[in-house]
Amino acid sequence: MVDDKKIIIFGAGPAGLAAARELSKDGQYEVVIYEQADKIGGISRTECYNGYYFDIGGHRFYTKNKHIDALWHEMLGEDFKKVRRMSRIYYNGNYFHYPLRFWQTIRNLGVRESISVCASYFKSLAFPLPREDTFEEWIVNRFGRKLYTLFFKSYTEKVWGMPCSEITSDWAAQRIQGLSFFRAVTNSLTGDSAMSKTLISEFDYPAYGPGMMWDRFKKDIEQGTGTVKLSSRITGIEHNGSTIERIRYADTSGIEREEVCS
């Protein structure tokens, strides 16, 4: 522990757990994670019911960063499996492979609808929306309103439970990074998925879902100089200038507790 410093992390999602593991290994710092839920992993967690494992949303493990890739394999070893991707969109009585396959898409949509999609895209190039504050505006400007209405809108609103007009454009840019209308069409013709991580055809995955990865992180943290406190909702922070002196948190019963930080 360096200068008796305590590191406080809010949230036991992937980022918080990875940071805590790095800081707590080899006794570098005393690290405490506060998580308001009773499980770790955030929206990348895995739920278990009657012996069956369920993921909260679809999560793929794919990176071009060799350090991150090595870390994932270090954590899970043989339990980190390479799997082929099979994603399909059901629309108007037909299944569309994703990443899209050019001729299948033309066949399922029909020539007239396909021309309409292309015309909508070129219209968005010529007359883009002046603002890109929302997911809807960001997608329409890059794919056209027709394709947004056919695929992006219904899927996104079903998965995230809120209108696309209320999701920020920053979220869209992060989730669909590197994907464009041109790249989607090029990939559907050539199968070159390397140009965008959104289009990859295979990825790594923990044998029992992403929650397995975060359980290993938690185990490492607690074997070092770290602690993970679940069902601990932060209610207040007391500080003196830039120095945090103590935090207040509540457990499931609503009882407030204090943690001295310095």
Side-chain angles (χ1 to χ4, degrees), residues 91-92 108-119 146 150:
Y91 171 73
N92 201 25
N108 287 351
L109 282 179
V111 175
R112 180 178 297 180
E113 191 83 326
S114 299
I115 292 173
S116 177
V117 166
C118 292
K146 185 72 174 181
L150 289 178

Side-chain angles (χ1 to χ4, degrees), residues 152-163:
F152 290 98
K153 184 177 188 297
S154 58
Y155 168 80
T156 302
E157 291 183 350
K158 285 178 182 177
V159 170
W160 298 102
M162 60 190 300

Side-chain angles (χ1 to χ4, degrees), residues 41-73:
I43 62 171
S44 185
R45 70 185 184 276
T46 299
E47 298 281 355
C48 183
Y49 179 75
N50 287 344
Y52 293 94
Y53 294 89
F54 300 89
D55 296 340
I56 305 300
H59 296 274
R60 303 186 299 270
F61 288 79
Y62 174 80
T63 181
K64 294 180 180 180
N65 185 306
K66 293 182 179 179
H67 175 75
I68 298 299
D69 187 62
L71 174 62
W72 287 342
H73 282 86

Side-chain angles (χ1 to χ4, degrees), residues 12-15 17-18 39-48 52-62 71-73 75-76 79-81 83 175 203-219:
L17 290 165
K39 296 182 178 65
I40 61 173
I43 62 171
S44 185
R45 70 185 184 276
T46 299
E47 298 281 355
C48 183
Y52 293 94
Y53 294 89
F54 300 89
D55 296 340
I56 305 300
H59 296 274
R60 303 186 299 270
F61 288 79
Y62 174 80
L71 174 62
W72 287 342
H73 282 86
M75 298 303 294
L76 290 183
D79 287 327
F80 204 39
K81 310 289 187 180
V83 297
R175 296 287 296 186
F203 52 88
D204 294 304
Y205 206 72
Y208 293 99
M212 186 180 193
M213 178 74 78
W214 316 130
D215 286 339
R216 296 286 175 87
F217 271 89
K218 180 175 181 289
K219 181 180 179 181

